Amino acid sequence: MVGEGTDPECLRQEIASLEIRLRDAEAALRRKTTAGDEEDEEAAAAARSLPTSHHALLLLSDSALPLGTFAFSCGLESYLVHARQKPDLDRFLGLSLRSLAAAALPYVLAAYRCPARLGRLDLDYDASLLCAVARRASVAQGRALLGVWGRAFAGVSWRGGGGGDGGAAAAAAEVLDSFRARLRASPPLPDTPSAHYPPLWGAVSRAMSLSLPQTAHLFLFNHIKALLSAAVRASVMGPYQAHAVLAAEWIQAVIWEAVRRVWKVEVEDAGQVVPVLDLYQGRHELLYSRIFNS
């Protein structure tokens, strides 16, 4: 406390000391405020740098996406029953992945590259499927995907992603809306589409601004996820082992090799390369008891 008899010189020194402390405090406050603003700007810039396709990728890879894939084992259940030797799950996964890539991935890529061909690609893929069980599974998942698009994703503006400009995404969205209207027409139209899963996956991915590599990789990755989920529910493996397989380098290598092999394959050259998988799926309905639809 400064008293009345305090020397003026002491008062001047005290004032100078307080002014220095005030300047130091103001400088510290400015540094803190500036640092906070810079952090906020950095966070905002980082958020803006993520393309729309990043969010779409998370949505389409979500295990809770209501496509009904949990109801299908893609021939795994039949394989476990009919295999003459001890089932080799790793071999089955690799063969199933290569089979899907050769038979279905060209339709995914073609629908992505030219969504306007969606109706024709749907007809061609329907004609290429010889196994009735596989056909029902493809139609069920395709119509579920189209329903998710119409009820959840169609009202969102998917722009600025890896799939090109927003105009391409908007054009794909118009094709999907028209395709959905044809499917829901009452009475049914003479050319009512089947709505198969692979070509619809390509068109939906384009409409949601995913890049072509993302579209192809996610299509095959989701297939492996579905197979491993079926294996867990069939008590072939536990959840930790399933995720260890999903994260394995050999699975990544098989996926990218499969994508590389069919990257330039036309739909006219697509086809089943592991015919025994059609046999397994076709005999699924003959099982005495089963927990999956395929």
Side-chain angles (χ1 to χ4, degrees):
M1 178 70 75
V2 178
E4 293 181 359
T6 305
D7 183 52
E9 184 62 27
C10 292
L11 291 174
R12 283 192 290 271
Q13 292 178 1
E14 182 70 18
I15 292 171
S17 176
L18 291 173
E19 289 177 344
I20 292 173
R21 291 175 59 189
L22 178 61
R23 286 196 297 271
D24 291 343
E26 289 176 342
L29 178 61
R30 284 194 299 271
R31 288 195 299 270
K32 186 69 175 178
T33 302
T34 302
D37 292 342
E38 290 176 352
E39 290 177 358
D40 292 343
E41 291 177 2
E42 183 180 356
R48 288 193 298 268
S49 68
L50 291 176
T52 304
S53 62
H54 182 80
H55 189 69
L57 186 68
L58 296 177
L59 288 172
L60 291 177
S61 63
D62 186 3
S63 298
L65 196 67
L67 300 183
T69 51
F70 61 87
F72 306 100
S73 72
C74 305
L76 176 63
E77 186 176 28
S78 181
Y79 166 72
L80 296 174
V81 173
H82 290 99
R84 295 184 177 182
Q85 300 177 349
K86 182 180 178 181
D88 186 344
L89 185 59
D90 287 350
R91 184 168 183 269
F92 181 86
L93 290 175
L95 291 175
S96 181
L97 192 61
R98 293 183 180 94
S99 168
L100 182 73
L105 190 55
Y107 289 89
V108 174
L109 300 177
Y112 181 97
R113 289 167 175 149
C114 184
R117 296 177 59 198
L118 179 60
R120 182 63 188 177
L121 292 171
D122 182 71
L123 290 173
D124 289 352
Y125 188 72
D126 185 74
S128 72
L129 285 177
L130 301 179
C131 178
V133 177
R135 182 185 183 280
R136 285 200 303 269
S138 176
V139 169
Q141 293 180 77
R143 295 192 176 197
L145 178 61
L146 193 59
V148 172
W149 163 260
R151 298 180 182 183
F153 299 154
V156 180
S157 178
W158 303 100
R159 298 175 181 274
D165 59 356
E174 290 180 3
V175 170
L176 285 168
D177 292 340
S178 175
F179 188 90
R180 186 166 180 256
R182 287 172 54 202
L183 185 64
R184 301 176 64 188
S186 181
L189 300 174
D191 60 342
T192 298
S194 298
H196 282 282
Y197 182 57
L200 277 170
W201 179 268
V204 168
S205 297
R206 186 60 184 269
M208 296 179 70
S209 293
L210 266 67
S211 68
L212 189 55
Q214 286 176 329
T215 299
H217 185 277
L218 188 57
F219 179 73
L220 298 181
F221 181 76
N222 282 349
H223 177 70
I224 291 295
K225 282 202 309 181
L227 278 175
L228 290 173
S229 174
V232 171
R233 283 174 286 141
S235 300
V236 178
M237 60 171 56
Y240 292 112
Q241 184 182 0
H243 278 78
V245 173
L246 195 61
E249 292 183 359
W250 72 268
I251 283 288
Q252 301 176 46
V254 170
I255 290 177
W256 285 119
E257 176 62 19
V259 172
R260 186 192 67 80
R261 282 179 177 272
V262 303
W263 189 256
K264 295 183 179 180
V265 173
E266 299 294 336
V267 294
E268 292 81 6
D269 298 320
Q272 178 62 271
V273 295
V274 190
V276 70
L277 291 181
D278 278 348
L279 296 178
Y280 284 136
Q281 289 210 59
R283 290 189 59 84
H284 184 269
E285 294 181 331
L286 303 179
L287 298 181
Y288 179 75
S289 62
R290 55 184 183 269
I291 59 177
F292 298 100
N293 290 337
S294 75

